[in-house]
Amino acid sequence: MATSAIGQQRAHAAPAHGEKTGLWSWITTVDHKRIGILYGSTAFLFFLMGGIEALIMRLQLVKPDNTLVGPERFNELFTMHGTTMIFLAIMPISSMFFNYMIPLQIGARDVAFPRLNAFSYWVFLAGGLFLNSSFLFGAAPDQGWFGYANLTSRQFSPGANVDFWMLGLQILGVASLAAAVNFFVTIVNLRAPGMRLMRMPMFVWMSFITQVLLLLAFPVITVALILLMFDRFFGTNFYVPSGGGDPLLWQHLFWIFGHPEVYILILPAFGIISEVLPVFSRKPLFGYAAMVFSGVFIAFLGFGVWAHHMFATGMGPIPDTFFALSTMLIAIPTGVKIFNWLGTVWGGSIQFRVPMYFALAFIAMFIIGGLSGVMHASPPADLQQTDTYFVVAHFHYVMFGGSIFGLTAGAYYWWPKMFGRVLDEKLGKLHFWLMLIGFNLTFFPMHIVGLNGMPRRVYTYPKGLGFEELNQLETIGSLILGFSFVIFLYNIYKTWRAGRNAPADPWNGSTLEWSIPSPPQEWNFAEVPTVHGRDPLWEAKRQRGGQLPEPPHVSGQGIHLPNPSHWPVVAALGILGMMTGVILLPHIGPWGIMAGGAILLFGVFRWAFEPAG
Amino acid sequence: MHLRTAAARRLAGLVPVLCLLALVLVGCSPDHYPQTALRPLSDFAKIGDDIQTTTFKWAVAVFILVEGALVYAIFRFRGKPNDPEPQQIHGNTTIEIIWTVIPALILAAIAVPTVKGIFETNATPPQAGLKVEVVGHQWWWEFRYPDFKVTTANELHIPVGQTVALHMSTMDVVHSFWPPRFAGKRDVFPNRETRLWFKAEKSGEYSGQCAEFCGIQHGRMGFRIVAQSPEEFKAWAGHMQSLVAKPPAAQSEGEKLFLAKGCVGCHSLNAFEAPKGLIGPNLANVGARSYIAAGTLKNTDENLAHWIMNPQSVKKGVLMPNLGINADEAKALVAFLRAHQ
């Protein structure tokens, strides 16, 4: 089997002929693979920042009445931790996989709009830097990632903290929407001949559904943030009760976005483990059609459950009943997915490689998050659970036990394809066990302290409420969890030093990306493949008696590729300039907005009339 | 000897494990946590607790079954790289229908008591009892008893065995009132009244706190609930009605300071017919309360003096400024406030 070939083949040590190098080639790149790597590396740095923020919080909470960080700093930390992990880590790490893997899995040479893709990345980077620059001005957002009105009004939050958050999210929204349009069109239009919708790899399906969610959910938060911007800068009263506005309006708008956002964060991980489980069970995905339709159903229902975040507002019995039942309904397609993953593993020949460890742990952890989710679906019970550490435990089992474990499975799985190197197995397993143990020590006790009366978002707790012991345990767990990523970093460093060793198909993969060299050449496929089934590579291998020859590197002459362009960067700078202008209102702000707008218009104009190549 | 050391070493290795186990066992019992939501003491809290218990039992059953199946599969279907390819199964409609229907049935079993509980908890209180107005402030709680025209702060007195109906609002931002032993959370809004009711079953002093993030001191927005026999409660309310404003006489050093330092601008010393929504907590019976600064400090003379001299070091960002009060002045103020029982 091809899996045994790792380490024996040290193929392609030198960069392929014609590979472009240098900083400028990265700034102007429109290659989806390079943009994917940019997304991934940037997002991983933000992930480490968000992790450090979390560790500082855990150190503050290690004992009662601790004074390691004061209340302002703590409020900034939990706000930035949530915002960072959602918008600057999990979403863009998913974007790395969308970028790198969607074209490869559907047999395309790039995404539909390569320059728009570059634009998305640069706008994302601008948004991340804008948000985090607030630390330098001592005005990091401190109102929570959910930014509930009317605490966010000028009266109660006079500083620039909320402004950085609101405008930063607005920038990131532009990046997300542009990327969503791009991947949507890519999946609809650029599939290889024969790849019907019901033959797409499950990762592509889940990515496709994610793009639809992004396209429908982000306009809502955009509008909500614009109303907030008007309240804060131009004296409107959308959320200000003294002027006739309503803080509840914000909660509704925010969660109409916020709940689908949860599925935006988890569906890509669903897709990844639906790739990893079959490959390492050497058995096709169980119940493909049910997996597709349960994904669609989850996304659809995801727009009809938002007010389960608001049971404590006292909406009355009819809305409570509606949102309780719709929330419970969502457990059914989610359960179908879990059972189908089990069905995939069942009867297989499980190959215990690092990606499989993470994928199996994903299932185990996600079940716990799902079950505590069903517990919140009952409003009378949720009135006790909401806004306590029980909820913190729940969503970390979904977002970390789910998304992060899934994305890590994807990282180990696709690392050889992206970098031509198989990550070290021993270090990978060490990373896995530390992460699993650290994760559970950190988050499982939170269920217990939460139900026993510890609210969320408190910078400290008094002695005598019994929270000390389990909080200590959580802090120990979080340090182990943090350390597991040091091992991961060391693994990356070590395998980087060791040089390229990955064959095209190190895992006996079933999808098209494993049919081309690792890493792929710029044009991906020298010849666009024709697809005859759901597991095209397995079928090809069976027809040829088990193994395919290592694909050759080709010269790529005559293959049309888009030219590099620097105009997407210019346009992204324009957006950054405009938002910087808003934060400087009223004095120099208008000039900043006009300058930024002019740069944006100029960039888009030049981009539009640039020769395509 | 060698054996004994090996055994001792093995035992020593067990110590941290045993410590951890003890920690977890202690940590798991709700009795370890005075503010627990798992030992409900009212009719309202029991509705939610019953549903939670039912759901939890189902969750444990599903957890054991599904995680068990996963662990079984992991051990049973271990493969080696050179094993023959397993049977290629693409699905099974019957099994897929079964595992769609069974969760639906379990959810239905949870949904029935849930909907019943929703209507029970949203109903108007079963019988007209005591009405209390709860007013959220950054970062303390005002409690008003319209039946008695009495106001107090951060210490909610209620009679056991009578339904208490809370009519809640806020003077500033959204908060959430959470008395875990008696009820789940109910958010309070500046532009609408929200309600919560419960009938306390056991007397005693309990804690609660704000559960919706409300700014810098959200973490220090606690309150106490004093559940008393109806007779004790009546006596308390009657006593509070007697705490009426006296004309300022500046009889004591403390009272002079209370006026001169501007304390009186935010705090009322008058429990009866006090105005609603003052910036600072009502102090008419502050001397008798068990905590000060919304559950932050025990109400000792030392703590009270510390708080009066330097509130910003105790509770940074609190609306009470440091007024430059020295130790002697604080002592006089403490004596004055302590007399307000």
Side-chain angles (χ1 to χ4, degrees):
Chain A
M1 282 281 94
T3 43
S4 60
I6 301 161
Q8 293 167 14
Q9 295 187 348
R10 292 179 58 92
H12 343 301
H17 170 71
E19 206 169 283
K20 299 172 191 84
T21 52
L23 184 64
W24 189 244
S25 76
W26 283 90
I27 291 173
T28 60
T29 188
V30 294
D31 177 355
H32 70 99
K33 297 181 290 300
R34 285 184 162 213
I35 293 170
I37 290 169
L38 287 173
Y39 258 112
S41 46
T42 311
F44 188 66
L45 289 176
F46 283 129
F47 174 76
L48 294 179
M49 274 187 72
I52 289 167
E53 285 155 9
L55 288 179
I56 300 173
M57 284 193 282
R58 281 302 340 149
L59 290 175
Q60 160 69 13
L61 293 173
V62 73
K63 59 178 188 183
D65 300 313
N66 200 2
T67 52
L68 177 72
V69 292
E72 313 108 305
R73 187 68 64 230
F74 189 87
N75 296 344
E76 291 176 355
L77 285 170
F78 77 69
T79 302
M80 284 306 285
H81 169 72
T83 308
T84 299
M85 287 306 193
I86 290 166
F87 295 99
L88 304 179
I90 298 182
M91 281 176 77
I93 291 173
S94 302
S95 262
M96 162 178 78
F97 291 126
F98 299 157
N99 261 292
Y100 210 107
M101 291 304 156
I102 288 174
L104 297 188
Q105 288 204 319
I106 63 174
R109 288 205 170 125
D110 208 318
V111 294
F113 310 114
R115 287 177 296 174
L116 186 66
N117 199 20
F119 173 76
S120 297
Y121 167 73
W122 294 108
V123 174
F124 151 67
L125 178 65
L129 294 177
F130 182 89
L131 254 176
N132 281 289
S133 69
S134 59
F135 280 113
L136 303 176
F137 299 100
D142 59 357
Q143 76 298 325
W145 89 276
F146 50 93
Y148 268 15
N150 52 336
L151 181 62
T152 53
S153 66
R154 242 336 142 206
Q155 185 192 349
F156 295 108
S157 295
N161 314 54
V162 175
D163 300 330
F164 272 109
W165 175 78
M166 155 183 100
L167 299 166
L169 286 201
Q170 207 66 291
I171 300 175
L172 294 168
V174 173
S176 294
L177 277 170
V181 170
N182 206 344
F183 294 122
F184 184 89
V185 176
T186 302
I187 294 170
V188 170
N189 282 355
L190 296 189
R191 278 168 289 133
M195 182 167 282
R196 298 199 293 255
L197 284 176
M198 290 307 272
R199 282 180 184 167
M200 292 198 306
M202 195 51 61
F203 175 68
V204 177
W205 252 116
M206 292 303 119
S207 306
F208 186 60
I209 297 168
T210 307
Q211 309 316 319
V212 176
L213 283 171
L214 282 162
L215 288 171
L216 295 174
F218 264 73
V220 183
I221 187 72
T222 305
V223 168
L225 289 166
I226 287 173
L227 301 187
L228 179 61
M229 180 174 83
F230 272 68
D231 273 8
R232 285 183 64 84
F233 284 105
F234 309 121
T236 57
N237 292 304
F238 290 105
Y239 308 123
V240 181
S242 55
D246 192 350
L248 260 187
L249 173 64
W250 168 268
Q251 293 196 17
H252 281 290
L253 290 174
F254 184 79
W255 290 118
I256 289 174
F257 149 79
H259 201 81
E261 172 70 19
V262 174
Y263 297 105
I264 291 169
L265 297 168
I266 193 71
L267 284 178
F270 281 3
I272 290 169
I273 76 146
S274 301
E275 298 295 313
V276 171
L277 291 171
V279 166
F280 294 93
S281 303
R282 300 177 58 201
K283 202 168 147 280
L285 188 66
F286 193 92
Y288 177 94
M291 284 302 231
V292 171
F293 291 118
S294 57
V296 173
F297 198 48
I298 287 171
F300 177 78
L301 284 177
F303 280 97
V305 298
W306 78 87
H308 70 206
H309 296 270
M310 299 163 57
F311 286 142
T313 61
M315 292 177 291
I318 304 299
D320 275 9
T321 303
F322 175 85
F323 285 105
L325 295 183
S326 64
T327 303
M328 288 183 187
L329 217 51
I330 242 177
I332 296 173
T334 314
V336 166
K337 282 199 168 290
I338 288 171
F339 296 133
N340 277 322
W341 287 323
L342 280 174
T344 306
V345 178
W346 203 272
S349 169
I350 304 176
Q351 308 294 307
F352 282 93
R353 309 302 300 270
V354 178
M356 190 61 166
Y357 278 64
F358 283 97
L360 291 169
F362 169 102
I363 304 178
M365 298 299 105
F366 188 75
I367 291 170
I368 299 175
L371 289 172
S372 56
V374 172
M375 288 179 69
H376 318 312
S378 281
D382 181 62
L383 290 184
Q384 289 285 18
Q385 298 163 6
T386 185
D387 279 320
T388 69
Y389 264 88
F390 186 78
V391 174
V392 179
H394 157 72
F395 72 74
H396 280 97
Y397 269 84
V398 177
M399 295 286 92
F400 201 117
S403 299
I404 298 287
F405 271 81
L407 294 170
T408 314
Y412 278 94
Y413 179 58
W414 279 314
W415 201 271
K417 184 52 60 188
M418 295 172 70
F419 301 105
R421 293 155 168 88
V422 182
L423 286 170
D424 186 83
E425 283 274 314
K426 268 194 188 136
L427 287 171
K429 284 173 188 173
L430 182 63
H431 172 199
F432 169 79
W433 286 112
L434 287 174
M435 183 160 142
L436 186 72
I437 292 166
F439 167 76
N440 280 291
L441 278 181
T442 309
F443 295 108
F444 199 83
M446 290 185 185
H447 290 112
I448 300 166
V449 284
L451 286 180
N452 283 309
M454 182 162 170
R456 296 169 74 175
R457 300 166 187 142
V458 291
Y459 69 93
T460 190
Y461 50 90
K463 259 186 221 133
L465 291 182
F467 302 147
E468 296 89 336
E469 294 88 350
L470 290 185
N471 270 283
Q472 275 172 27
L473 191 63
E474 288 161 18
T475 302
I476 294 168
S478 69
L479 294 172
I480 298 175
L481 187 54
F483 182 68
S484 74
F485 282 91
V486 176
I487 303 285
F488 183 51
L489 281 170
Y490 176 68
N491 197 347
I492 293 171
Y493 169 78
K494 191 185 159 194
T495 29
W496 193 262
R497 289 289 302 271
R500 289 184 180 175
N501 64 352
D505 181 19
W507 316 116
N508 185 19
S510 67
T511 38
L512 292 176
E513 73 269 30
W514 305 109
S515 69
I516 53 174
S518 300
Q521 290 179 284
E522 202 184 341
W523 41 85
N524 302 346
F525 298 91
E527 269 177 74
V528 173
T530 304
V531 176
H532 302 286
R534 277 181 196 155
D535 298 305
L537 213 58
W538 279 353
E539 281 148 36
K541 281 182 239 181
R542 261 181 223 122
Q543 278 168 13
R544 307 207 24 177
Q547 215 167 337
L548 295 175
E550 195 66 18
H553 276 66
V554 295
S555 79
Q557 281 217 323
I559 295 176
H560 168 82
L561 286 172
N563 282 337
S565 170
H566 53 275
W567 295 114
V569 186
V570 174
L573 273 176
I575 289 182
L576 182 61
M578 285 174 74
M579 291 303 175
T580 310
V582 176
I583 217 162
L584 296 172
L585 280 174
H587 306 296
I588 40 176
W591 301 104
I593 295 171
M594 279 191 270
I599 295 169
L600 173 64
L601 277 178
F602 178 67
V604 172
F605 181 83
R606 294 298 301 269
W607 167 355
F609 289 99
E610 191 177 32
Chain B
M1 192 65 206
H2 176 75
L3 249 177
R4 279 181 62 188
T5 30
R9 221 177 278 145
R10 209 168 298 151
L11 272 180
L14 274 176
V15 168
V17 177
L18 287 174
C19 287
L20 197 72
L21 197 70
L23 191 73
V24 170
L25 285 179
V26 169
C28 283
S29 166
D31 298 320
H32 181 65
Y33 303 92
Q35 200 169 281
T36 181
L38 298 173
R39 290 277 183 271
L41 291 176
S42 80
D43 49 352
F44 188 98
K46 279 181 177 162
I47 297 170
D49 189 61
D50 286 347
I51 295 171
Q52 182 167 276
T53 308
T54 310
T55 320
F56 183 66
K57 283 179 186 158
W58 281 112
V60 169
V62 173
F63 174 83
I64 291 171
L65 271 171
V66 184
E67 300 277 8
L70 178 66
V71 172
Y72 174 79
I74 287 172
F75 284 98
R76 170 72 184 73
F77 301 110
R78 261 166 198 281
K80 292 199 183 74
N82 296 321
D83 285 351
E85 192 173 65
Q87 199 191 344
Q88 302 291 293
I89 303 163
H90 291 268
N92 182 319
T93 312
T94 317
I95 292 179
E96 288 178 55
I97 289 172
I98 291 172
W99 69 39
T100 311
V101 170
I102 290 178
L105 292 175
I106 295 176
L107 288 166
I110 298 170
V112 172
T114 291
V115 174
K116 193 166 154 275
I118 289 172
F119 279 84
E120 284 168 3
T121 49
N122 276 284
T124 44
Q127 77 206 53
L130 176 72
K131 178 181 170 183
V132 183
E133 289 174 23
V134 175
V135 186
H137 291 259
Q138 280 183 326
W139 293 273
W140 61 281
W141 297 94
E142 178 179 352
F143 301 116
R144 299 171 63 83
Y145 298 77
D147 302 344
F148 303 94
K149 298 185 178 169
V150 156
T151 298
T152 188
N154 294 333
E155 206 171 273
L156 175 66
H157 286 248
I158 51 167
V160 168
Q162 285 178 23
T163 299
V164 181
L166 305 177
H167 294 239
M168 309 197 286
S169 62
T170 163
M171 295 306 294
D172 37 58
V173 302
V174 177
H175 305 277
S176 193
F177 184 76
W178 186 32
R181 303 301 296 270
F182 299 104
K185 296 158 204 85
R186 187 65 86 206
D187 297 349
V188 299
F189 292 92
N191 59 338
R192 52 166 57 79
E193 184 184 273
T194 48
R195 294 189 186 181
L196 193 64
W197 56 263
F198 57 85
K199 184 160 73 181
E201 289 171 357
K202 198 171 156 227
S203 56
E205 189 179 321
Y206 306 94
S207 63
Q209 65 188 102
C210 176
E212 188 61 82
F213 182 68
C214 54
I216 179 171
Q217 283 297 343
H218 165 61
R220 296 280 200 207
M221 190 174 162
F223 58 91
R224 313 293 294 179
I225 295 187
V226 180
Q228 301 166 302
S229 69
E231 298 74 37
E232 282 172 332
F233 174 75
K234 262 227 166 84
W236 175 81
H239 166 68
M240 291 297 281
Q241 282 175 318
S242 74
L243 303 178
V244 293
K246 296 171 209 114
Q251 287 158 337
S252 69
E253 187 64 19
E255 184 165 16
K256 275 184 211 154
L257 284 164
F258 194 80
L259 298 171
K261 292 290 181 181
C263 309
V264 71
C266 298
H267 297 285
S268 171
L269 291 170
N270 173 14
F272 187 67
E273 292 190 326
K276 181 178 171 180
L278 288 181
I279 294 172
N282 188 298
L283 298 180
N285 67 335
V286 67
R289 290 179 199 151
S290 53
Y291 280 80
I292 53 167
T296 307
L297 296 174
K298 283 231 166 72
N299 191 2
T300 62
D301 286 356
E302 198 188 1
N303 281 340
L304 190 53
H306 179 43
W307 170 252
I308 290 169
M309 285 191 288
N310 198 346
Q312 293 297 327
S313 80
V314 177
K315 197 166 164 180
K316 192 173 185 186
V318 69
L319 300 184
M320 176 161 154
N322 287 358
L323 291 163
I325 292 171
N326 65 36
D328 290 338
E329 291 167 336
K331 206 172 167 193
L333 275 166
V334 167
F336 172 70
L337 290 174
R338 187 61 69 207
H340 285 76
Q341 297 269 345

